[in-house]
Amino acid sequence: MTTIDYAKARETMVEQQVRPWDVFDPAVLDAIATVPRERFVADAHRALAYSDLELPLGHGETMLKPVIEGRALQALSVREHEDVLEIGTGSGYVAACLGRLARDVVSIERHADLADAARARLQAQGIANVRVETADAFVWRSDRKFDAILVGGAVAAIPEAFSAWLRPGGRMFIVHGVAPAMEAALVHAESDGRTRVESLFETVLPYLAGGAPAPQFRF
């Protein structure tokens, strides 16, 4: 039986996958190099925890590739005094990374079993500043505002409700569009109440439940 050196695998992932994708923020690299990704992966896929793959989580959901996670975290440039909202907890891994970067993190997951598993993983890692809520982001209501929002799935169009959770000067990482022409973007909340969309890079992600384009009828 082969024993995997996960610490070495983590270092290799950072140096051969994440950093070559232009992720240079020291705080982000430190978070990725520190959080044990294998602890957020199902036992059946643990050997693939540091591969350049989307890993299945159940319910048709997947864990993002490490390079996408790294680019998203870098784009948001979260600082230790900031409050963050994550839409789509999934495994809890990105929430754990955000917990190392931010003051406080709220993470929303629509599937109760995934939310429960993520809470257990975060607790096992001693990450106390992340709260996972079981909710559908498209119907979730909160008066709270956040400095940064990370959306872990794609949407056809950027929902105004998501942008409304940003504080003035806040920013949101989100992938939008219709495959194969999806675009990762950073939405900036301006002080005058308007938003500005900054294009980052092209990619393709699975849609959030409720975020896919409406079916097109053809005659």
Side-chain angles (χ1 to χ4, degrees):
M1 181 177 177
T2 302
T3 301
I4 298 174
D5 184 343
Y6 286 114
K8 181 63 177 176
R10 196 175 310 127
E11 179 184 347
T12 300
M13 178 189 74
V14 170
E15 296 302 324
Q16 296 186 8
Q17 295 180 50
V18 180
R19 196 187 291 271
W21 245 55
D22 298 331
V23 178
F24 303 123
D25 185 317
V28 171
L29 291 173
D30 180 66
I32 294 173
T34 303
V35 175
R37 202 170 193 265
E38 75 277 6
R39 298 296 182 184
F40 292 85
V41 175
D43 290 345
H45 303 110
R46 189 157 289 177
L48 300 173
Y50 295 99
S51 301
D52 184 26
L53 298 169
E54 291 182 0
L55 299 178
L57 298 173
H59 304 286
E61 309 289 350
T62 58
M63 192 175 184
L64 298 178
K65 291 182 178 182
V67 292
I68 300 296
E69 294 165 339
R71 286 293 293 270
L73 292 168
Q74 176 169 270
L76 288 173
S77 190
V78 174
R79 295 300 176 242
E80 60 185 11
H81 64 280
E82 294 186 314
D83 299 333
V84 179
L85 173 66
E86 181 190 27
I87 297 175
T89 311
S91 70
Y93 171 74
V94 173
C97 291
L98 288 169
R100 291 189 61 86
L101 297 167
R103 185 186 74 86
D104 186 68
V105 180
V106 176
S107 186
I108 300 173
E109 173 54 56
R110 67 190 298 266
H111 298 291
D113 57 336
L114 294 184
D116 289 342
R119 289 188 195 100
R121 290 163 177 158
L122 291 162
Q123 184 177 13
Q125 294 302 314
I127 300 171
N129 63 335
V130 177
R131 185 174 79 256
V132 178
E133 294 193 13
T134 304
D136 183 331
F138 288 97
V139 297
W140 188 65
R141 296 290 178 266
S142 177
D143 294 328
R144 187 174 176 184
K145 303 291 186 179
F146 299 88
D147 300 294
I149 299 174
L150 193 156
V151 184
V155 293
I158 299 172
E160 291 184 10
F162 291 8
S163 300
W165 290 320
L166 286 171
R167 288 180 177 140
R171 58 273 180 214
M172 173 171 63
F173 176 90
I174 192 166
V175 174
H176 65 108
V178 179
M182 290 183 180
E183 182 177 80
L186 199 63
V187 178
H188 298 267
E190 307 287 13
S191 57
D192 60 4
R194 293 185 295 180
T195 57
R196 173 174 58 86
V197 180
E198 175 189 357
S199 175
L200 298 176
F201 56 91
E202 293 183 357
T203 190
V204 175
L205 291 187
Y207 285 110
L208 286 177
Q216 297 293 315
F217 292 99
R218 296 180 179 178
F219 298 94

